[in-house]
Amino acid sequence: MQGTSSGIGYGLKYQARCISDVKADTDHTSFLTGTLSLKEENEVHLIRLSSGGNELICEGLFSHPNEIWDLASCPFDQRIFSTVYSTGEAYGAAIWQIPELYGELNSPQLERITSLDAHVGKIKCVLWWPSGRNDKLISIDEETLFLWSLDCSKKVAQVQSQESAGMLHNLSGGAWDPHDMNAVAAISESATQFWDLRTMKKTNSIERAHIRNIDYNPKKKHILVTAEDESGIHIWDLRKPKVPIQELPGHAHWTWAVKCNPEQDRLILSAGTDSTVNLWLASPSTSDEFTAESLLDSPTRRIDPLLSSYSDYEDSVYGIAWSSREPWIFASLSYDGRVVVETVKPLLSKK
Amino acid sequence: MGVDDVPLDDKAKRMRDLLSSFYSPDPSMSSPDTTSSSSKRTTLDDINSSSFDPDQYMNLLVQKSNLERLLQRHVEMAAEIKNLDTDLQMLVYENYNKFISATDTIKRMNSNIVGMESNMEQLLEKIMSVQSRSDGVNTSLFEKREHVEKLHRTRNLLRKVQFIYDLPARLGKCIKSEAYADAVRFYTGAMPIFKAYGDSSFQDCKRASEEAMAIIIKNLEGKLFSDSESIQTRAEAAVLLKKLDFPVESLKARLLDKLAQSLADLQLNTEEISNASVDPKDLSQEESNPGSAPAATHEASVREFAEAIRAYRIIFPDSESQLIKLSQGVVTKHFEAIEEYVKKRICSTELLHVLRIIWTDVLLMDEVLDEAALPNYSMEAAKVAVKQYVASTFSRLLHDISDSLTRVHVKQKEGMREYSLQTALEASKKAVLQGSMDVLLDFRQIIEDNLELLVQLKPLIIDLVQEGFQDFFGALDDHFLLLSGGNNSVSQDQGFVEGTQVDKAFAGLVLVLAQLSVFIEQTAIPKITEEIAASFSGGGARGYEHGPAFVPGEICRIFRSAGEKFLHLYVDMRTQRISLLLKKRFTTPNWVKHKEPREVHMFVDLFLQELEATGCEVKQILPEGLRRHRRNDSNGSTNSSRSNPLREEKLSRSSTQRARSQLLETHLAKLFKQKIEIFTKVEYTQESVVTTVVKLCLKSLQEFVRLQTFNRSGFQQIQLDIQFLRTPVKEIVEDQAVIDFLLDEVIVNASERCLDPIPLEPPILDRLIQAKLAKTRDQNPVTP
């Protein structure tokens, strides 16, 4: 169970929270990560896994004006990404373009395509539609959901529509349904709300408090995974939003992030503030026949869903990302700025 | 004398022989007989034998005998010869005589036959004349005879008519004398006539007799129905009615209906008895006197019923199937009553009592109606009843336990804090153990009872009990889960509506459940296993399925994991509450525009209060662990160097240093120090639980800090609060090093997230803390 330190490490200079898979880069397995330092010059690192798969190479190092709280790579253009940053007092979000690199690594300036500056509250995250080219962008702050239409060539982003979730809801994050361009999930303090972007109306909700992270299953429609502070990981079927279809124990402290594997629909990765990354194998019946089966094996769930636990971290792990190019590889980022890339291949072949 | 006799005998014999040889055609047939008999004596001196040799005989005689004897022999011989001579003469004479008489006879016959022919002719003539005379007489008397015969027939007819006309009167007489059998005989005799002429000539008569018959039938029916009549008469009545072509079937149906009705009465009785039997039993052990009175009446009524069955079997020989149905109905009703009864809270003695009553009933009925196979039938029913009893007993036990658990909840809701968790734990412990033992005792009573019905069911009961325990503990586990409310997916899976259960389990209950699970695993299960092994294994024909019926290992496993789960759940629940507190504390103020710290923030009080509450609950339930004053954590990794002195020093230095070097230092420090194990396994001790809660909360605190950005005052406020926390928190935990580390970590993180990390000067820090302490001291006497 204890993960051996087979992972490939890479050190950032400062503390960091967010890492993202560069999905649009089909030639290499690369990740983008940004540092979170209040007082220093923050950096964005473009990391590439060497062709041998045994080394992480810094492909680009760019300075970023503020500390980065959220970072997302554009799924259709490997040079574009978004960040949410904080100046210490105020929050902002921007779309960046990595300048053309000609082998030089000497911190060229990032090109700011546009700023998403319609926000009043604390911006939480910027979402790209994960399944392909889409000129829309979503940003979520504490109270409001914004739908932007982005034109990269003209370098403008315009607010297409916005909707307030209500003062008290205190949104903290969200996820865009990869199966439906018009559905987005937003996490609030007391529930997870599902929005239809065409009408900007709430369509559904999971009444569950303290959800910290959410991810749609990219392979199975209606299935999504949430991470909660105390009570671990839950797998939900949106058609039955009352009861989770499966519960996983999560972490010893908060479960901070969950990510579904892009290919293996049962494989779930979670990161926690107990300085571990856990790899779970959800029970196979994540569809309708689940209820019948769960009655049989739920009293004594004999199979331990925990495939592996990687505990070789010094601090809380906030960022995890599966590589979409090589879906058996994931990158994790602990608060102390350490990127570790691990492969789950040996575990999968065992199964 | 003998000497004289022998020759006489010999003589007569010889005569006969001679005669016979004379008449018989074959002398050899008789001669061997004589020779053999004589040759026995002497072969040589037998003159009669064909092989007689006179010379030899002479020689022999001369040689053997003396003179005297020879002389004597000579005399004898001479006498003998003379004898023979006379014999011969006599023979000749006799033969001659016979011949003459035969000739005479033939002569007479001849003369007789000559006259016979004429006589015969005469006879023939006479016979002829007799015949002609007789013919004449016959013809002359024929007419008269015809007439006489006709008259005779008419008289017979008239007599019959007379009989029929007399029939009503006769029937009436019969009715009077109750000679129904005769009446029926008469009536059936007259029936054919009525059938033939009833519509015309004998209309009145028929009507009258039918009326009479109606009376008779009525009387017979009455007889049949009256219980006072003897069975014999009733049976006769039934037979007579049948002879009259009366629809006996419907009668039978009616009678059986009546019987069935009486059964309903009987049934009521049973319930009364069972009800009645409860009261005296409940009062005390003096069961016999008050209880037996209704039992006796019940038995009497059952006896009556059995008698009735016996009677009906005789009366209606073909009614068995209905009777069987009826008596089975009785048994079924009995067991239905038992089932009703079992639903109430009864102990095994009461069940046994009722079963015994039923069994005696069954036996009584079986005596008269053994085709019904009532014992088997009731065995099946008893199986069901016992099964139900076992099930209901277990469900009640479950109920009791859950009662004793939820009482905590309710009482606390009512505001009675005095009802401590400890008493709840003790009560539920007792409920589990004592309840299980009582249940076992109960079942043992059933098993040890020698009632035939139950003796045969013994293996089944044993299996049932074992299964019952297995299921019971499974159900208990489920119920615990439900009570804890922590695993809502399970409860939903089982289709429970959560609203009906305790709406939100409070943490103390979960803790009680945790400890109770441990208790069940470690104490109750071994005891129950022992008990079961002692009294529920020698069950004779227990099948192979007996093996897995009660598996203590599995149950232990279930409860071990359940206990751990509940403990974790408890920790989670407690932590969650504090987490909420912390979240509010950190998300509400604008930390970037925080004002200078004036006093320790009140969230610290709340935090400590929560910890205190946890400690209070934990103290009631969990055992005290060995208080380990260790600086090392459970993993044995040394981490003291990461805690206090160095860090303090560094912090004070950091006021002047750049944060960057500080970060570098942290990194460096981490390089050289082993990772501290914050999240260790929770144990069932007060300290372990509290420590875990504190650790988790401090870690949460750290995480919350990391999410904020502070100005200098904000940072100082955090520093102050944490500094204040240090002493009271360390007092209640077992692993102070980890706590120190975590507290430091909070301050470090705050400084990292601070735009201008200048800590408070130690004197100011001290003063503020002292002020806070003084304040709490002031408050303490007021609010205990």
Side-chain angles (χ1 to χ4, degrees), chain A residues 15 67 311 315-316 318, chain B residues 675 700 703 706 752-753:
Chain A
Q15 289 167 336
E67 56 170 5
S311 55
D315 210 331
S316 307
Y318 297 119
Chain B
K675 195 163 80 171
S700 301
E703 292 297 333
R706 279 182 181 179
E752 280 168 6
R753 293 300 310 158

Side-chain angles (χ1 to χ4, degrees), chain B residues 102-276:
Chain B
T103 331
D104 282 351
T105 312
I106 288 164
K107 217 178 262 171
R108 223 178 324 136
M109 274 172 71
N110 227 2
S111 65
N112 278 357
I113 286 166
V114 171
M116 197 130 78
E117 197 165 342
S118 62
N119 279 353
M120 277 297 169
E121 267 162 26
Q122 235 174 339
L123 186 64
L124 187 65
E125 240 171 76
K126 291 232 170 96
I127 287 169
M128 293 294 260
S129 77
V130 164
Q131 195 178 357
S132 66
R133 296 264 165 78
S134 129
D135 279 354
V137 168
N138 217 5
T139 45
S140 64
L141 287 181
F142 179 73
E143 255 176 72
K144 277 184 184 162
R145 203 184 59 211
E146 285 279 276
H147 187 65
V148 167
E149 273 177 9
K150 208 173 174 183
L151 280 178
H152 182 75
R153 271 206 297 274
T154 320
R155 189 173 149 259
N156 272 354
L157 198 65
L158 278 174
R159 202 185 280 157
K160 273 187 197 163
V161 170
Q162 176 72 36
F163 172 79
I164 284 166
Y165 275 113
D166 284 353
L167 192 61
R170 214 185 279 245
L171 289 178
K173 229 181 268 169
C174 286
I175 290 168
K176 252 177 214 155
S177 62
E178 296 201 336
Y180 298 117
D182 290 341
V184 170
R185 193 155 43 83
F186 293 146
Y187 184 70
T188 44
M191 213 48 198
I193 296 167
F194 281 140
K195 250 182 207 150
Y197 309 106
D199 298 336
S200 51
S201 350
F202 301 114
Q203 213 164 357
D204 292 344
C205 200
K206 188 188 174 194
R207 203 167 46 232
S209 50
E210 267 173 358
E211 272 164 17
M213 276 331 278
I215 294 171
I216 287 172
I217 285 170
K218 212 155 122 201
N219 285 357
L220 283 175
E221 254 180 80
K223 243 183 203 182
L224 196 57
F225 281 116
S226 80
D227 296 330
S228 55
E229 294 289 336
S230 75
I231 296 168
Q232 198 59 39
T233 38
R234 292 171 76 186
E236 272 166 18
V239 170
L240 289 177
L241 282 174
K242 211 179 228 168
K243 265 192 197 157
L244 287 174
D245 281 347
F246 191 78
V248 184
E249 287 302 317
S250 74
L251 269 185
K252 187 167 83 183
R254 267 167 60 196
L255 265 179
L256 289 173
D257 277 359
K258 212 173 114 194
L259 191 61
Q261 263 172 19
S262 75
L263 284 188
D265 298 347
L266 189 70
Q267 192 49 43
L268 270 176
N269 279 343
T270 333
E271 272 202 331
E272 273 165 26
I273 285 161
S274 52
N275 285 344

